[in-house]
Amino acid sequence: MGATGAVGQEFLKLFEARHFPIADLRLLASERSEGRTQAFRGSPVEVRKVVPSSFADVDVAFFSAGASRSREYAPIARESGSVVIDNSSAFRMDPLVPLVVPEINGHLVTKDQKLYANPNCSAIILLMAVAPLRSLGQIDRIIVSTYQSASGAGARAMSELEHQTRDVLEGKAAKPEVLPHIYAFNLFSHNTPVNEHGYNEEEWKVIQESRKILDMPSLRINVTCIRVPVLRAHSQSITVEFKAEAPSEDAVRDALCSFPGVKVIDDRRGNHFPMPIEATGKYDVLVGRIRRDVSHPSALSMFVAGDQLLKGAALNAVQIAEALPQFADKFVAEVSGAPM
Ligand SMILES: NC(=O)c1ccc[n+]([C@@H]2O[C@H](COP(=O)([O-])OP(=O)(O)OC[C@H]3O[C@@H](n4cnc5c(N)ncnc54)[C@H](OP(=O)(O)O)[C@@H]3O)[C@@H](O)[C@H]2O)c1
């Protein structure tokens, strides 16, 4: 559900690229997309409007159509016997719903669990860089500033950035329609409401969700989320403070290099570090600029970039599905080419 959106389109590419064992693919969206077709494995598949009967006989339902649709359809899909993997924020903080990044807390994927929440994209990218450091010492505090791309706000925001950029270059005025401010050649505080503490909704999600995923309910964490005029992939400047002295830069590099889903790009001589343009389309979260914080002996800093449509959304959800114990035999059969 949400098949025509920015995240939905990535699901289709991932199913093809990862040989996801699909016997019957059902593409669901709103009535706006009804009747459109999407090519999948060389054949057109029709997009249908989501209705309560859409989930009959569906083994796994991937949701990326916003929180209110997830709240409406998750109970219906579960009632129909589907395992639901939800990309929206609807169930993330529900104590009965696991919030999963497979490399970090994949043990929460079990046979009996029927609803999984995929974390906020910025939270996933942050924690892919921070979780490996837990083997080097006790983390006391995280400070992160994000540089978030247009694609994080969906397909319409991406085309708004393209249109505005073209308009400005042609000497016309840029008109904000999807996002609240002029986007081309500008940046602004994340476009979600600001709460009574002065944090916007995105920042608050990263705080709460990081505590839940790391299972550190009192983790000290401060977040600033900024929207930048980049088409795709989010970047972050991260400082991690340990309870004792910070580990050495080499130890940090080793821990990151051996963590699945992370790639270290840390070329000081060439001044080559993670960039959104190089993270785009990649499964790995890129981590670099690894350095001890000269202002504090317990702290170290990093810069990361990750494709938030992939690891921050669709890829993470597909990885959860691939880990479902009840379908493990189907993955083996498909990958080995044996009849299912
Ligand atoms: N973009 C990201 O990086 C990212 C990362 C993590 C999580 N998410 C979450 O994933 C979800 C989708 O994000 P997106 O960026 O893919 O948004 P998007 O590009 O705006 O796509 C939204 C999708 O939802 C569908 N939809 C909207 N209203 C619907 C309705 N009433 N009934 C059925 N389908 C409906 C749309 O169908 P139509 O084409 O028919 O309108 C479209 O397929 C959101 O919950 C978002 O928070 C996004």
Side-chain angles (χ1 to χ4, degrees):
M1 183 173 71
T4 52
V7 177
Q9 294 293 297
E10 295 305 317
F11 272 118
L12 297 184
K13 291 184 211 151
L14 285 165
F15 292 152
E16 287 186 332
R18 294 169 79 88
H19 305 288
F20 199 84
I22 294 174
D24 177 23
L25 177 68
R26 219 165 280 178
L27 300 182
L28 306 171
S30 76
E31 66 274 0
R32 289 181 290 275
S33 307
E34 204 170 12
R36 270 176 56 181
T37 58
Q38 293 277 160
F40 183 68
R41 292 184 181 155
S43 304
V45 180
E46 194 172 322
V47 178
R48 298 185 226 168
K49 178 188 164 197
V50 64
V51 289
S53 61
S54 298
F55 302 97
D57 301 322
V58 167
D59 289 320
V60 185
F62 296 95
F63 284 7
S64 61
S68 51
R69 259 74 61 191
S70 292
R71 275 190 214 100
E72 183 178 355
Y73 285 102
I76 295 169
R78 288 175 68 188
E79 192 65 24
S80 307
S82 316
V83 174
V84 175
I85 303 176
D86 181 33
N87 263 287
S88 82
S89 58
F91 306 105
R92 289 181 187 151
M93 294 314 295
D94 182 331
L96 298 178
V97 178
L99 185 61
V100 177
V101 182
E103 295 88 343
I104 300 172
N105 59 355
H107 62 279
L108 299 178
V109 182
T110 63
K111 199 161 157 285
D112 298 323
Q113 185 64 40
K114 301 294 183 224
L115 172 60
Y116 295 91
N118 212 51
N120 168 277
C121 48
S122 296
I124 296 179
I125 290 166
L126 167 68
L127 297 184
M128 285 298 289
V130 168
L133 310 187
R134 291 186 301 178
S135 62
L136 304 176
Q138 219 180 331
I139 290 171
D140 188 36
R141 185 172 176 224
I142 299 170
I143 301 167
V144 56
S145 297
T146 72
Y147 307 73
Q148 298 189 213
S149 64
S151 54
R156 290 180 61 231
M158 292 171 84
S159 68
E160 170 149 283
L161 177 56
E162 287 171 335
H163 289 146
Q164 281 193 11
T165 305
R166 205 168 295 129
D167 285 348
V168 171
L169 290 175
E170 288 172 1
K172 298 182 205 152
K175 272 201 290 298
E177 280 162 12
V178 179
L179 291 169
H181 304 289
I182 290 178
Y183 199 8
F185 307 102
N186 188 27
L187 56 81
F188 47 86
S189 191
H190 194 275
N191 50 293
T192 43
V194 178
N195 67 18
E196 72 274 20
H197 307 288
Y199 287 76
N200 61 49
E201 224 167 61
E202 181 83 350
E203 292 162 350
W204 212 241
K205 282 178 190 170
V206 176
I207 292 171
Q208 306 298 338
E209 294 181 27
S210 296
R211 289 175 174 158
K212 180 169 174 177
I213 295 162
L214 294 177
D215 196 17
M216 296 173 72
S218 47
L219 174 70
R220 300 197 298 144
I221 169 166
N222 190 15
V223 185
T224 304
C225 289
I226 303 292
R227 189 75 75 187
V228 297
V230 165
L231 213 45
R232 179 164 168 169
H234 291 350
S235 303
Q236 301 179 350
S237 165
I238 303 169
T239 293
V240 180
E241 218 175 290
F242 291 81
K243 287 228 193 289
E245 194 178 330
S248 71
E249 291 165 354
D250 282 344
V252 169
R253 270 186 215 104
D254 287 348
L256 289 165
C257 282
S258 55
F259 199 78
V262 169
K263 184 171 181 199
V264 173
I265 304 216
D266 202 30
D267 173 7
R268 291 180 179 179
R269 193 184 290 249
N271 204 346
H272 185 185
F273 300 108
M275 290 183 270
I277 210 153
E278 290 186 350
T280 293
K282 302 279 179 6
Y283 290 176
D284 287 340
V285 171
L286 312 181
V287 186
R289 299 231 54 211
I290 297 157
R291 60 206 191 278
R292 297 278 293 262
D293 181 342
V294 291
S295 72
H296 200 296
S298 302
L300 67 87
S301 296
M302 306 179 281
F303 191 77
V304 313
D307 189 326
Q308 93 301 331
L309 289 175
L310 288 173
K311 187 56 191 167
L315 173 62
N316 196 73
V318 169
Q319 288 175 314
I320 294 172
E322 289 170 346
L324 291 169
Q326 58 268 51
F327 302 121
D329 56 331
K330 297 201 181 206
F331 283 98
V332 172
E334 179 79 10
V335 169
S336 67
M340 286 173 50

